[in-house]
């Protein structure tokens, strides 16, 4: 815990973590809010699913694209502009009754304009702390973001059921605007400027650690999506059990991130953490009992945030500073695609075999998430005793006064 105290005592770090979590809090709210709202308007979960799919496609495209724009126009202009467009999409869906196709178009535009705060903040981190502190900082960040996925859906469900779905979307908009402004007014955001990328978009995927993190991130989140669908299918919507189990899973991830965050990252680090995820999910598939699921997913959760932290670190250490934002954008896109595919596969398996089928899907994706970094272990950099910061660009990186 000493390493985390040192990181948080670094000027600006605590504010940056808190502000970016607040700005990204709608990520844990908006999908569920859209689902409940569009279903209420059109009386169809199928229609709501189409709107969510369109939104996810927009988010997947936006990942590397808007992240790359930050190197051309700066962090503040890009994040501010995308925030305004994203907020407009929230307001249109919340306040206007439209055909499903129109909702899909608005959702797509909103997804495309998702502020690239995650890419921005992980690009800024190496400029705030020394190389020894960077790995614990990535672990702290990966653990803290579980707050989004634990509290976000609970807040959304409560507001949507007790007040209205419109208010649930508007509250997400308040977090978006408030958190983004807080983030943008952080002095370090004004001081750090990302150099303009000189290579064509997508070239950064030629860096093997970036490709490794993108693929394993896809498999990890696909596994998580399958498990989440399975837990919901077991308990339905009639009680709190599903929410409690998913919260325990996320709590395991938080504690795992804090427990493993200080450990050196060797070439087998990602495979070992993914093995923990796989073992927990595979054992959970055997018995669909509340306490069994809770304990097994707690074990699985211990590997999730640490695996994400390793991905962030190997990406940071393997690309030039000018490419880091785009690289993290691709990693995020892989995770979004994983969420969509994992949910879809789990849905088909639930229809065919019941809830246990979704856990089988989750275990299968997690197993692939173990095998891939084992087979391609040479793609995984050994960061033991090495700087996890990005490779310096050949030209000076300008620093602007905030």
């Amino acid at each position: 815990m000493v390493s985390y105290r040192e990181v948080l005592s670094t000027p600006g770090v605590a504010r940056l973590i808190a502000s970016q979590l607040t700005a990204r809090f709608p990520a844990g709210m908006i999908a569920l809010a859209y689902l409940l709202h569009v279903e209420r308007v059109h009386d169809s979960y199928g229609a709501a699913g189409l709107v969510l799919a369109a939104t996810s496609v927009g988010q997947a495209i936006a990942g590397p694209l808007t992240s790359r724009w930050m190197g051309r126009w700066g962090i503040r202009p890009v994040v501010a502009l995308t925030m305004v467009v994203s907020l407009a999409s929230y307001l249109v869906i919340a306040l206007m009754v439209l055909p499903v196709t129109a909702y899909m178009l608005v959702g797509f535009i909103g997804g495309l304009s998702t502020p690239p705060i995650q890419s921005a903040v992980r690009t800024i981190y190496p400029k705030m702390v020394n190389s020894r502190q960077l790995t614990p900082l990535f672990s702290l960040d990966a653990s803290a973001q579980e707050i989004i996925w634990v509290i976000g859906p609970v807040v959304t469900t409560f507001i949507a059921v007790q007040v209205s779905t419109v208010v649930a979307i508007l509250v997400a908009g308040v977090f978006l605007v408030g958190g983004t402004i807080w983030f943008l007014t952080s002095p370090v955001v004004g001081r750090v400027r990302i150099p303009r990328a000189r290579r064509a978009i997508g070239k950064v995927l030629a860096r093997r650690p970036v490709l490794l993190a993108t693929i394993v991130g896809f498999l990890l989140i696909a596994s998580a999506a399958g498990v989440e669908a399975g837990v919901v299918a077991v308990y339905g919507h009639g009680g709190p059990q599903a929410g409690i189990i998913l919260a325990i899973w996320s709590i395991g991830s938080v504690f795992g991130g804090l427990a493993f965050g200080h450990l050196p990252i060797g070439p087998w680090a990602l495979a070992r953490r993914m093995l923990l995820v796989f073992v927990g999910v595979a054992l959970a598939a055997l018995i669909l009992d509340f306490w069994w699921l809770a304990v097994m997913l707690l074990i699985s959760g211990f590997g999730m945030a640490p695996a994400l932290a390793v991905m962030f670190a190997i990406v940071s250490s393997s690309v030039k500073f000018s490419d880091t934002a785009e690289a993290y954008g691709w990693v995020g896109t892989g995770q979004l695609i994983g969420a969509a595919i994992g949910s879809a596969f789990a849905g088909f398996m639930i229809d065919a075999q019941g809830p246990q089928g979704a856990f089988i899907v989750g275990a299968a994706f997690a197993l692939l998430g173990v095998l891939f970094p084992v087979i391609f272990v040479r793609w995984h950099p050994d960061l033991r005793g090495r700087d996890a910061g990005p490779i310096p660009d050949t030209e000076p990186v300008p620093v602007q006064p905030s």
Side-chain angles (χ1 to χ4, degrees), residues 1-17 125 128-141 261-262:
M1 292 299 174
V2 174
S3 59
Y4 298 120
R5 286 198 296 269
E6 290 179 355
V7 166
L8 290 173
S9 65
T10 303
V13 168
R15 174 177 175 169
L16 193 68
I17 292 176
Y125 281 157
M128 299 186 71
V129 299
N130 60 45
S131 58
R132 180 179 57 82
Q133 295 174 317
L134 190 54
T135 298
L137 178 54
F138 280 135
S139 296
L140 187 63
D141 179 89
H262 66 285

Side-chain angles (χ1 to χ4, degrees), residues 21 33 54-55 63 72 81 86 90 94 142 170 208 244 258 282 310 345 368 373 381 398:
L21 285 176
T55 303
R72 176 175 295 183
L81 175 61
S86 188
Y90 286 14
L170 295 180
R208 290 177 175 179
I244 293 171
L258 296 176
V310 170
F345 276 38
L368 292 175

Side-chain angles (χ1 to χ4, degrees), residues 207-210 313-320 381 386 388-391:
R207 293 278 187 177
R208 290 177 175 179
V210 177
I314 65 174
V315 167
S316 174
S317 67
S318 61
V319 298
K320 290 185 177 181
R386 276 185 50 194
I391 302 169

Side-chain angles (χ1 to χ4, degrees), residues 220-292:
L220 173 62
I221 303 304
S223 172
V227 171
E228 183 174 350
V231 171
V232 172
V234 170
Y235 294 102
H237 303 279
Q241 294 95 330
I244 293 171
I245 289 175
L246 294 176
I248 290 172
W249 192 21
S250 294
I251 289 169
S253 181
V254 170
F255 282 105
L258 296 176
F260 295 124
H262 66 285
L263 298 179
I265 296 176
W268 297 98
L270 188 54
R272 286 170 178 161
R273 287 154 176 78
M274 286 301 301
L275 179 61
L276 198 56
V277 175
F278 165 69
V279 169
V281 173
L283 291 175
L286 299 178
I287 304 172
L288 303 185
D289 170 75
F290 176 85
W291 288 110
W292 178 263

Side-chain angles (χ1 to χ4, degrees), residues 332-346:
T333 291
Q335 292 175 6
L336 284 167
I337 295 172
I341 291 179
S343 296
F345 276 38

Side-chain angles (χ1 to χ4, degrees), residues 91-358:
L91 295 176
V92 169
I93 290 181
L95 303 177
M96 299 180 67
V97 177
L98 300 172
V100 174
T101 52
Y103 275 141
M104 290 176 64
L105 177 60
V106 175
F108 174 76
I109 294 171
L112 196 61
S113 61
T114 302
I117 292 175
Q118 182 168 313
S119 298
V121 75
R122 287 170 188 159
T123 301
I124 293 171
Y125 281 157
K127 299 299 178 183
M128 299 186 71
V129 299
N130 60 45
S131 58
R132 180 179 57 82
Q133 295 174 317
L134 190 54
T135 298
L137 178 54
F138 280 135
S139 296
L140 187 63
D141 179 89
S143 299
Q145 74 175 357
E146 290 294 337
I147 295 171
I148 296 171
W149 310 111
V150 174
I151 301 177
V154 174
V155 171
T156 302
T157 303
F158 178 81
I159 295 174
V161 173
Q162 300 298 325
V163 186
S164 78
T165 55
V166 171
V167 174
I169 297 174
L170 295 180
V171 169
V174 171
F175 277 109
L176 173 70
V177 174
T180 302
I181 292 174
W182 188 15
F183 171 76
L184 291 177
T185 55
S186 297
V188 68
V189 176
R191 289 197 299 267
V192 175
R193 184 184 171 198
I194 304 171
R196 185 170 178 171
R198 304 193 182 285
R199 299 191 298 171
I201 189 169
K203 288 285 188 180
V204 71
L205 288 173
R207 293 278 187 177
R208 290 177 175 179
V210 177
L211 186 58
L212 176 66
T214 301
I215 293 173
V216 178
F218 158 80
L219 295 169
L220 173 62
I221 303 304
S223 172
V227 171
E228 183 174 350
V231 171
V232 172
V234 170
Y235 294 102
H237 303 279
Q241 294 95 330
I244 293 171
I245 289 175
L246 294 176
I248 290 172
W249 192 21
S250 294
I251 289 169
S253 181
V254 170
F255 282 105
L258 296 176
F260 295 124
H262 66 285
L263 298 179
I265 296 176
W268 297 98
L270 188 54
R272 286 170 178 161
R273 287 154 176 78
M274 286 301 301
L275 179 61
L276 198 56
V277 175
F278 165 69
V279 169
V281 173
L283 291 175
L286 299 178
I287 304 172
L288 303 185
D289 170 75
F290 176 85
W291 288 110
W292 178 263
L293 289 177
V295 173
M296 292 305 108
L297 291 186
L298 181 67
I299 293 171
S300 173
F302 263 81
M304 293 190 68
L308 289 169
V310 170
M311 293 178 214
F312 302 154
I314 65 174
V315 167
S316 174
S317 67
S318 61
V319 298
K320 290 185 177 181
F321 181 60
S322 57
D323 290 327
T324 50
E326 183 189 341
Y328 285 125
W330 283 111
V331 173
T333 291
Q335 292 175 6
L336 284 167
I337 295 172
I341 291 179
S343 296
F345 276 38
F348 288 127
M349 287 294 284
I350 290 170
D351 289 340
Q353 300 184 12
Q356 197 165 33

